Amino acid sequence: MTRAILLVLDSFGIGATPDAGHFGDAGADTLGHIAAACARGECDLPQGPETGLSQGPEDGLSQGPEDGPGPGAVRQGPLALPNLGRLGLFHAHHASTGDWADGVAVPTEVVGAWGHARELSSGKDTPSGHWEIAGVPVRSHWGYFLDREQSFPSELLEALVREAGLPGVLGDCHASGTEIIARLGEAHVATGKPIVYTSADSVFQIAAHEEAFGLERLYAVCETARRLLEPWNIGRVIARPFSGSDAAGFTRTANRRDYSVEPPAPTVLQKLHDAGGEVIAIGKIADIYAHCGISRTVKASGHDALMDATLAALETAGDRSLVMTNFVDFDMVHGHRRDVAGYAAALEHFDARLPELLARLGDDDLLILTADHGCDPTWAGTDHTREHVPVLALGGGLFPGSLGARETFADIGQSLATFLGLPPMADGTAFLDHPATGGQ
C-alpha cells in the first residue's frame, strides 16, 4: 500500500540561503540560533501555556505517552532532539551552514535520508513555500503593503467598509497579531469596527471578537476582502478571531481561516486527487492550497491535536494517499513572537512524539519532514527569514545518508509524484531517483 506522509514544521529553517542578503536575512539560522541560546542556558523555563508542552504525560523524550514526566516538566540545558537527529536533522544543518549546532548530541547512527533545500520562489511566505514544496514554485512577485502606518489604499478600505456594511475599521498598519488585539481589541468591541493589519508578507489580516462581532460575520468580511484585493495581487486574507473580555484577557482562538489565491499550476496534491488518489489535509493545509486538490480536511489546533489527527488519518489512509500536516505553532506562537525558549520547548515536544508516528509507518510508506521558510526567533523584527529548509525522508526505498543540497523545494513534490506514480512535475528533481549516498 503506497502512502506518503508530509509534515511541514512551519518556519523551521536551518541556515540562511545564498540570496538571504537580498531579504535582509544574511546570517539567519532558526535551528542554529535556538540551539546556541539553549547551550548558553538562555532557554531554561518551567512548563507553561506558551511552551507548546502538553499538560498531560506526553512529554517523555523517545518514550511512549504513558512514560513522560507529566505536569511540572521543564525544558533545560542544550537542545535535545534525539529522534529528529536520527533522521538526519543535525547533519542537514551542518551541510547547510558548515557548522554543527551548539550543544546538540549528534547521533552516531542516522536512519533517515537527509538534505537541505533552497527556495526558488520570489518570496519567503507561507503560500510560496508550500506551493513549491508541492512542485509549483512562485516566480512572479506578490503585492505587498509596505507602509508601516496607513498601510492600505484608501479606496480599498472605503470599498470594504461599504460592501461589508462596516462602521469603519481600526488598525491600518503593520503589526503583530497579539499586540494589536491587546491594543485595539476593546475599541473594536465598543465600536464594532474590525481590526485590519498586515506584515512584511503579502497578507491582509482581519481580527474581530468571536462573540461581539460574530465568527460567521468575520468570515463574510474576509470573503469580501479577498475579492476586493484581486487588483493588488495579495497572497492571503486571514481571519483572526479572538475572545476574552478585556485587553489583558484577549486571546486568539482556533477558528483562524486563511483565504488564499489558487496555486498558479496544478500541485502534486491536485494531480494525485485528480488521478483518483486521496489527499488528507490536516490543520491549515487546505486553506494554503485554496482547497485545490484536497479530498478531506481535518481541522486541528495545537501541536498535540495536529499530531493526534495525523496518527488518526494514517489509520484510514488507503493506497495512493497523501497525509499532509502543517505544524503552525512553531511559526505563529514562537517564531513571530521571537520566543526562543518556547520554540525550543515546542521542538523538543514534537520530537518526543515522533516515535508514535514512526511506529505506525508501513514498509511501503514514505515519510518526509520539511519546512516552508525560516522564522529565526533571534532575528530583528517579527518576520520570516530566508533560509534553507530540512529535507528528512524515511522509507520509499531510500537508504540512510545524504541527499545533498537540493536546488528547490520542488524536489519534494517531484519525489512525491514519482513515489505515487504520477506524471512528472514541471519543476524539481526526484531524490527517489537518486538514492541517498550513505555519507555522513
Side-chain angles (χ1 to χ4, degrees), residues 16-102:
T17 56
D19 64 354
H22 298 302
F23 297 82
D25 295 330
D29 184 356
T30 300
L31 170 58
H33 289 154
I34 292 172
C38 290
R40 293 191 299 267
E42 297 171 3
C43 295
D44 297 350
L45 47 73
Q47 179 169 304
E50 296 300 326
T51 66
L53 295 178
S54 169
Q55 295 295 322
E58 293 88 6
D59 300 330
L61 198 60
S62 302
Q63 302 174 40
E66 71 278 11
D67 298 321
V74 297
R75 91 125 327 266
Q76 292 183 333
L79 185 65
L81 304 175
N83 300 302
L84 286 166
R86 278 174 51 80
L87 291 178
L89 173 64
F90 300 132
H91 289 76
H93 175 258
H94 180 265
S96 168
T97 65
D99 296 312
W100 293 105
D102 289 349

Side-chain angles (χ1 to χ4, degrees), residues 358-371:
L358 299 178
R360 286 169 168 79
L361 297 180
D363 293 339
D364 297 326
D365 291 339
L366 171 65
L367 171 67
I368 300 175
L369 292 86
T370 189

Side-chain angles (χ1 to χ4, degrees), residues 200-269:
D201 281 357
S202 180
V203 65
F204 186 93
Q205 305 194 70
I206 308 177
H209 197 279
E210 279 199 358
E211 291 79 30
F213 189 84
L215 184 61
E216 294 303 321
R217 185 184 179 199
L218 172 59
Y219 292 159
V221 173
C222 288
E223 290 169 3
T224 300
R226 174 71 277 170
R227 174 173 50 80
L228 293 174
L229 283 161
E230 288 182 6
W232 283 273
N233 193 31
I234 299 303
R236 283 183 298 167
V237 174
I238 304 179
R240 294 287 197 178
F242 64 96
S243 61
S245 57
D246 55 36
F250 288 144
T251 56
R252 294 194 292 196
T253 74
N255 292 316
R256 162 183 169 159
R257 184 173 294 180
D258 292 36
Y259 299 82
S260 297
V261 297
E262 294 186 2
T267 66
V268 71
L269 283 69

